[in-house]
């Protein structure tokens, strides 16, 4: 089994310092994480437990520069601290570490200017709020603009029985009540260097973040490519609501990432925070080094 991230990873992209920050670990069914791929394939790089679950990381991305401290997601945070059954079901461990990970690189939650979410599933948006001693949730980043696709926000609060288990609305609503929520419709920009691009696939309104500065580029894939092992085109999660869309957007964006030698940021990889992807004429591979 690969070792988990114990400290932030760092890469410089043009005028920005970028950090992959650990929040903790959890487990999901290995077969579901790799869709139609057989265990004989994904079992080469993931050791499953007795319940066929594999260990995954929760990673945030901090992009800092030009007066911006933009945090992309975070992890589960403390949303399930009062639910022993779910803590066991997902084997959640060492979670709610994001604040200390920020502190390790000289930042505090109050320094975050933007909080961006590819989507609002609990393993990505659980850190949007923190739990007070009385059980109430309050925004974790008191000065940040929280940016999410409007359709994703609506889905998170819809209580649709098909998707409701993936969301924790009570840990999201305080962001709206505080006036910090900014819902966007379609692609958007933070500044001239940072774009938000709707990909669909995992959820209908899932989006990726793309940074371009000083001739360098970085892509935060969200759950389109949750780990470095998912760069192989056919490896698509069974959790994706629109897997054909995932395949098509991976096909297009991976070609772009290779052509531009972009840095990739993976939200759930236990060993790799940042990497570059190459194409050998048959399949995509993780290149050695940055």
């Amino acid at each position: 089994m690969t070792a988990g991230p114990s400290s932030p990873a760092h890469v410089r992209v043009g005028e920005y310092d970028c950090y992959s920050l650990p929040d903790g670990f959890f487990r999901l069914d290995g077969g579901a994480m790799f869709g139609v791929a057989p265990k004989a394939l994904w079992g080469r790089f993931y050791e499953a437990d007795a319940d066929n679950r594999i260990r995954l990381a929760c990673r945030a991305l901090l992009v800092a520069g030009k007066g911006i401290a933009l945090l992309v997601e975070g992890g589960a945070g403390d949303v399930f601290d009062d639910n022993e059954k779910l803590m066991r079901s997902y084997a959640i461990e060492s979670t709610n570490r994001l604040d200390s990970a920020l502190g390790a690189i000289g930042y505090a939650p109050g320094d975050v200017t933007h909080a961006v979410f590819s989507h609002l599933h609990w393993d990505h948006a659980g850190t949007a709020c923190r739990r007070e001693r009385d059980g109430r949730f309050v925004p974790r980043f008191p000065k940040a603009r929280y940016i999410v696709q409007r359709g994703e926000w609506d889905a998170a609060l819809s209580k649709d029985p098909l998707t409701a288990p993936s969301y924790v609305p009570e840990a999201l609503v305080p962001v709206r009540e505080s006036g910090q929520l900014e819902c966007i419709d379609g692609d958007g920009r933070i500044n001239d260097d940072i774009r938000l691009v709707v990909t669909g696939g995992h959820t209908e309104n899932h989006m990726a973040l793309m940074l371009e500065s000083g001739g360098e580029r970085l892509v935060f894939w969200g759950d389109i490519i949750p780990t470095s092992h998912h760069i192989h085109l056919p490896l698509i999660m069974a959790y994706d609501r629109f897997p054909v869309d995932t395949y098509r957007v991976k096909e297009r964006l991976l070609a772009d990432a290779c052509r531009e030698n972009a840095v990739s940021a993976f939200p759930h990889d236990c060993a790799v925070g940042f990497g570059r992807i190459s194409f050998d004429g048959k399949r995509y591979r993780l290149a050695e080094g940055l």
Side-chain angles (χ1 to χ4, degrees):
M1 183 183 296
T2 54
S6 58
S7 60
H10 171 260
V11 64
R12 182 79 177 177
V13 179
E15 298 177 76
Y16 296 85
D17 285 298
C18 301
Y19 300 89
S20 179
L21 304 177
D23 179 63
F25 307 92
F26 68 114
R27 287 179 179 266
L28 292 177
D29 184 86
M33 280 299 296
F34 289 95
V36 299
K39 190 174 183 178
L41 174 59
W42 59 260
R44 298 174 190 170
F45 37 83
Y46 276 109
E47 179 183 345
D49 66 12
D51 295 318
N52 207 47
R53 300 174 304 179
I54 61 173
R55 193 176 192 233
L56 300 166
C58 288
R59 292 179 179 269
L61 169 69
L62 181 72
V63 177
K66 293 189 175 182
I68 284 175
L70 182 153
L71 191 70
V72 188
E73 304 185 348
D78 54 7
V79 292
F80 293 149
D81 279 6
D82 65 342
N83 193 320
E84 185 178 346
K85 179 180 178 181
L86 289 178
M87 292 287 284
R88 288 198 311 269
S89 295
Y90 294 114
I92 296 173
E93 57 176 297
S94 303
T95 192
N96 202 25
R97 296 172 53 197
L98 182 58
D99 290 1
S100 60
L102 283 167
I105 58 171
Y107 286 84
D111 298 323
V112 175
T113 60
H114 302 72
V116 173
F117 299 90
S118 67
H119 63 300
L120 294 171
H121 288 171
W122 61 263
D123 56 316
H124 291 253
T127 47
C129 290
R130 58 179 173 80
R131 188 190 296 270
E132 299 278 63
R133 290 186 178 181
D134 62 4
R136 291 182 305 113
F137 286 102
V138 297
R140 184 177 298 269
F141 313 109
K143 299 178 182 178
R145 293 163 51 199
Y146 282 72
I147 302 171
V148 66
Q149 286 292 322
R150 188 180 308 278
E152 181 66 18
W153 179 265
D154 292 343
L157 271 61
S158 71
K159 298 183 180 180
D160 183 335
L162 290 175
T163 59
S166 298
Y167 298 104
V168 184
E170 61 269 28
L172 297 171
V173 170
V175 173
R176 182 181 62 192
E177 294 174 343
S178 71
Q180 295 173 253
L181 178 65
E182 181 179 336
C183 289
I184 62 174
D185 297 294
D187 296 351
R189 279 192 176 272
I190 303 299
N191 61 14
D192 290 341
D193 304 321
I194 303 171
R195 294 185 294 135
L196 305 175
V197 178
V198 176
T199 64
H202 184 59
T203 67
E204 184 176 3
N205 296 281
H206 182 282
M207 65 180 179
L209 178 139
M210 299 184 180
L211 164 66
E212 188 171 357
S213 174
E216 291 283 331
R217 187 177 176 213
L218 177 145
V219 181
F220 180 88
W221 296 98
D223 270 352
I224 294 298
I225 304 181
T227 79
S228 60
H229 300 291
H230 287 83
I231 60 177
H232 187 39
L233 280 175
L235 297 185
I236 293 171
M237 293 188 291
Y239 297 113
D240 286 12
R241 294 200 65 202
F242 307 96
V244 174
D245 292 343
T246 298
Y247 184 94
R248 288 172 177 164
V249 78
K250 281 176 65 174
E251 188 175 37
R252 174 170 55 86
L253 294 183
L254 278 168
D256 292 344
C258 285
R259 183 176 62 254
E260 298 171 7
N261 196 31
V263 175
S264 287
F266 307 105
H268 290 312
D269 200 298
C270 284
V272 180
F274 297 118
R276 296 185 195 269
I277 300 168
S278 63
F279 184 67
D280 65 7
K282 294 183 179 180
R283 62 178 295 172
Y284 291 100
R285 300 183 183 277
L286 189 69
E288 292 187 7
L290 283 174

